[in-house]
Amino acid sequence: MTAGEHGGMETCVTSLGNAGIQVTHGRVCFLVDAFYRGFEGVAASPWEGVGRIRRIDAILVTHAHWDHFNPKETAQAVERTGAIVLGPASVVGKLRELLPASLLMEMEPPGRGRSGKYVGMKVEVGGLSVTAYRTLHGDDHNSYLVEMPGLRVFHDGDNEHTQHFAADELSDLDALMLCPWQGSGWVRFIGATRPRNWFLIHMTVDELDQHAKGRFLPDLCDRVPMEPVALRPGESFQLGSLD
């Protein structure tokens, strides 16, 4: 992709496979669901270059399912880079015997409030402002809003119910990472938040092939609210390159 600039500095999004992403904004770098096990027909294999990333400020994990989280490889990345890991208790618990407590941060947001909307839990770490939302998938699953000066990125992980978000809290997004689950309300969610860019995640190789032929999303919905970015493992996109 052609290099672009956003917010006065370059911002690059790289697919690490399945729901894994790397975001580099100036000198700050964070990963989400970067270390996992691939499985044919379920999750695209991880990008082989993920183990060569040398600067990581934070590693966010949405949940402990094997196609999103590999404790051993996550610990190896922390030992190599000094990154801090943020995740739900089920994730952090699997890392306590592998890493010092100072490099682990539990994110246990409260779930939904009286209004029925997800309530966020915010922390400041590694040059990032991270808000976790306890969203619906398995026992404990987090979606993450990550903010830096000039950048707002939202990774929805495996959340199956986008309709429980207060859309105004997620307006003005530079990048939305979302899996188009049937029944999750994702079409309406994209229309309500109107991100500058949205990225398809949790895609198998076959699904990526179908999308390239224009036959993936039309099978899921009657209307695609805006054209998504679909990256194969190792491919990158510069935010602002379509401006």
Side-chain angles (χ1 to χ4, degrees):
M1 297 284 182
T2 303
E5 293 207 357
H6 187 83
M9 62 181 71
E10 290 190 355
T11 304
C12 182
V13 176
T14 301
S15 170
L16 306 179
N18 199 38
I21 63 158
Q22 174 188 10
V23 177
T24 303
H25 182 63
R27 295 181 58 82
V28 179
C29 173
F30 69 91
L31 313 183
V32 184
D33 288 357
F35 305 98
Y36 68 95
R37 290 186 290 124
F39 189 81
E40 186 175 356
V42 177
S45 297
W47 176 47
E48 61 182 5
V50 67
R52 299 192 295 271
I53 300 174
R54 293 299 168 187
R55 179 185 175 92
I56 308 171
D57 296 286
I59 299 172
L60 283 60
V61 183
T62 59
H63 60 304
H65 289 175
W66 58 266
D67 57 336
H68 292 257
F69 176 55
N70 182 311
K72 181 178 179 181
E73 292 185 3
T74 301
Q76 290 172 346
V78 171
E79 291 169 351
R80 185 175 71 250
T81 66
I84 295 176
V85 181
L86 297 83
S90 59
V91 166
V92 172
K94 294 179 184 296
L95 294 171
R96 290 201 184 279
E97 294 184 1
L98 302 175
L99 294 169
S102 60
L103 296 177
L104 301 173
M105 184 173 294
E106 282 191 9
M107 297 290 284
E108 286 291 313
R112 286 188 282 168
R114 292 182 178 179
S115 67
K117 300 298 185 181
Y118 297 126
V119 177
M121 168 190 178
K122 180 181 282 191
V123 298
E124 307 287 335
V125 60
L128 308 169
S129 175
V130 179
T131 303
Y133 297 87
R134 177 52 45 86
T135 46
L136 300 175
H137 181 76
D139 294 332
D140 55 350
H141 176 280
N142 289 343
S143 299
Y144 295 105
L145 172 65
V146 182
E147 299 172 279
M148 290 176 274
L151 184 69
R152 281 168 58 86
V153 175
F154 185 70
H155 191 293
D156 201 31
D158 275 2
N159 176 31
E160 299 170 12
H161 297 281
T162 58
Q163 60 266 36
H164 298 310
F165 281 115
D168 59 337
E169 293 185 17
L170 298 176
S171 62
D172 198 32
L173 291 175
D174 299 293
L176 165 66
M177 285 73 185
L178 181 145
C179 175
W181 296 103
Q182 294 194 53
S184 71
W186 64 273
V187 173
R188 185 174 182 178
F189 178 64
I190 292 172
T193 56
R194 300 180 61 83
R196 293 182 181 86
N197 304 275
W198 79 277
F199 293 76
L200 285 168
I201 60 170
H202 215 310
M203 302 278 282
T204 66
V205 172
D206 180 65
E207 288 169 340
L208 287 166
D209 289 342
Q210 292 299 310
H211 177 70
K213 298 174 183 176
R215 295 202 299 261
F216 178 66
L217 289 176
D219 290 341
L220 299 180
C221 60
D222 296 328
R223 175 182 61 87
V224 179
M226 58 184 289
E227 184 66 24
V229 180
L231 301 176
R232 296 178 186 271
E235 290 185 340
S236 297
F237 180 87
Q238 296 281 350
L239 295 189
S241 62
L242 296 182
D243 291 347

